[in-house]
C-alpha cells in the first residue's frame, strides 16, 4: 500500500507521497505488448499477488505490515483492529499498481522483483460512508468498468475480484482483461504457457461470481503465501527476473 501522509496548519497544506520510480503495471504491460512478449514464468505474478493481498488486508483490518506478514507466514487469518473503519478501494487496475526498488518494507518473499504498491484512493469508500450516507456513496462508482466485479459496487470482496483481473492482464499482457478465454476446462489464466495448479486454483477462487465464495481479505495473504511457497519449492529460484526494459 502507498505511504502517503499529509499535514495541515493554519497557513499551508502539504502532502508527502512515496516515489515509485518504476512506474505502473499498466506501463509495464504496454512495454511487453510492444515487443509481443510475455512473462517467462509465474514468479512476478506471485509477487504482485502477495504484495497487493497484504495491501487489501490492511485496508480491511487496519493491521500494519508486520502483523499481516507474520500472521500470513504462520498460517493465521488477520484479525480486524477494534473500531477499524474498513475500506474498499474500488478502483483496482494496472494503472493504480506501482513499483519501486526503494521500500521501507522488508519483504522476505521477494527475490529479484520490486515492491508492488497500491495507489489512488479517490474512489475508496469506508464502511461508515456506506451505512450512514448511501446516497453520497452511490455517486462514487467504479471508474474503470473493465475491472468492476459482477456484483454490487459495495461488495465486501469486490477488490479481491479486481485483483484477479489484474493478474489476468499480466498473464495476457493486455491492459484490459480478456474474459472470453476463461473456461473451466482450460488454464484459468487464459494464456498458453503452463501455469501450475496453485496459482490457477487461487485465481479461480478470486473470480468466483458469488462474493461469498472468494477468499476474505483477512485470509487472502495466508492462502497467497502458502501457494507462493509451494510454487517456489519446486522451482530452482523465486522466478526469473524481468528484463531491464520492462521498467524503462
Amino acid at each position: 500500500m502507498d505511504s502517503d501522509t499529509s499535514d495541515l496548519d493554519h497557513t499551508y497544506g502539504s502532502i508527502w507521497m512515496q516515489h515509485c520510480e518504476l512506474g505502473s503495471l499498466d506501463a509495464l504491460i504496454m512495454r511487453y505488448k510492444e515487443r509481443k512478449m510475455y512473462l517467462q514464468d509465474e514468479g512476478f505474478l506471485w509477487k504482485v499477488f502477495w504484495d497487493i493481498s497484504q495491501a487489501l488486508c490492511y485496508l480491511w483490518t487496519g493491521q500494519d505490515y508486520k502483523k499481516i506478514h507474520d500472521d500470513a507466514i504462520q498460517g493465521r487469518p488477520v484479525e480486524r483492529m477494534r473500531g477499524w473503519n474498513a475500506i474498499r478501494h474500488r478502483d483496482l487496475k494496472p494503472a493504480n499498481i506501482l513499483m519501486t526498488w526503494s521500500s521501507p518494507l522488508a519483504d522476505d518473499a521477494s527475490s529479484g522483483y520490486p515492491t508492488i504498491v497500491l495507489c489512488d484512493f479517490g474512489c475508496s469508500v469506508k464502511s461508515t460512508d456506506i451505512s450512514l450516507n448511501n446516497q453520497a456513496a452511490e455517486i462514487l462508482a467504479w471508474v474503470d468498468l473493465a475491472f468492476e466485479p459482477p456484483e454490487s459496487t459495495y461488495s465486501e470482496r469486490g477488490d479481491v475480484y479486481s485483483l484477479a483481473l489484474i493478474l489476468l492482464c499480466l498473464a495476457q499482457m493486455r491492459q484490459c482483461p480478456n474474459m472470453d478465454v476463461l473456461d473451466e476446462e482450460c488454464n484459468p489464466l487464459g494464456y498458453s504457457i503452463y501455469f501450475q495448479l496453485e496459482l490457477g486454483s487461487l485465481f479461480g477462487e478470486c473470480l468466483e461470481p458469488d462474493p461469498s465464495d472468494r477468499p476474505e481479505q483477512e485470509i487472502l495473504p495466508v492462502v497467497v503465501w502458502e501457494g507462493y511457497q509451494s510454487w517456489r519449492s519446486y522451482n530452482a529460484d523465486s522466478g526469473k527476473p524481468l528484463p531491464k526494459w520492462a521498467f524503462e
Side-chain angles (χ1 to χ4, degrees):
M1 185 175 171
D2 65 7
S3 56
D4 298 357
T5 57
S6 61
D7 181 44
L8 184 64
D9 61 26
H10 297 297
T11 308
Y12 299 101
S14 303
I15 298 176
W16 292 268
M17 295 185 294
Q18 180 179 356
H19 176 57
C20 293
E21 76 284 1
L22 301 180
S24 69
L25 287 186
D26 190 62
L28 181 145
I29 289 170
M30 184 179 299
R31 295 182 187 109
Y32 270 86
K33 281 179 60 180
E34 289 172 348
R35 291 167 172 80
K36 299 181 180 180
M37 297 179 67
Y38 298 90
L39 297 174
Q40 291 181 277
D41 62 22
E42 294 176 61
F44 186 61
L45 287 166
W46 277 117
K47 184 61 166 63
V48 174
F49 212 169
W50 168 239
D51 284 1
I52 300 303
S53 73
Q54 294 178 88
L56 294 183
C57 187
Y58 164 74
L59 293 178
W60 198 251
T61 67
Q63 300 287 2
D64 63 19
Y65 167 81
K66 186 178 187 307
K67 170 68 172 172
I68 294 171
H69 179 274
D70 291 349
D71 280 356
I73 64 177
Q74 294 177 36
R76 296 193 303 258
V78 181
E79 293 185 5
R80 188 185 300 187
M81 290 180 58
R82 181 176 297 179
W84 178 255
N85 196 359
I87 300 169
R88 299 159 175 82
H89 186 279
R90 300 194 311 113
D91 195 20
L92 264 71
K93 56 186 178 182
N96 287 341
I97 308 294
L98 306 181
M99 301 171 290
T100 179
W101 290 121
S102 302
S103 173
L105 304 180
D107 190 354
D108 60 8
S110 174
S111 54
Y113 300 124
T115 298
I116 310 301
V117 179
L118 176 59
C119 72
D120 196 344
F121 291 80
C123 290
S124 63
V125 172
K126 297 179 180 179
S127 295
T128 52
D129 295 332
I130 298 169
S131 60
L132 298 179
N133 194 357
N134 192 59
Q135 184 176 3
E138 285 293 335
I139 298 174
L140 296 173
W142 280 68
V143 174
D144 196 328
L145 298 182
F147 294 90
E148 184 179 21
E151 70 277 4
S152 166
T153 303
Y154 301 104
S155 161
E156 293 184 353
R157 303 181 203 174
D159 287 337
V160 174
Y161 185 94
S162 299
L163 174 54
L165 292 184
I166 291 172
L167 297 177
L168 181 61
C169 286
L170 272 177
Q172 298 175 335
M173 285 304 166
R174 294 171 54 95
Q175 285 153 310
C176 289
N178 180 10
M179 300 294 286
D180 294 337
V181 301
L182 297 180
D183 188 291
E184 293 181 359
E185 297 182 359
C186 75
N187 166 24
L189 286 172
Y191 180 57
S192 58
I193 64 175
Y194 179 69
F195 287 88
Q196 300 288 349
L197 178 62
E198 289 84 0
L199 184 58
S201 176
L202 183 53
F203 177 87
E205 290 179 26
C206 293
L207 277 183
E208 286 287 349
D210 185 341
S212 64
D213 292 331
R214 300 172 199 153
E216 298 173 318
Q217 288 90 326
E218 312 77 318
I219 197 69
L220 187 61
V222 177
V223 294
V224 173
W225 174 264
E226 290 175 349
Y228 191 10
Q229 297 312 300
S230 178
W231 181 79
R232 294 172 80 193
S233 71
Y234 48 77
N235 283 273
D237 50 35
S238 296
K240 294 180 174 60
L242 303 186
K244 184 178 179 180
W245 52 255
F247 306 114
E248 294 178 342

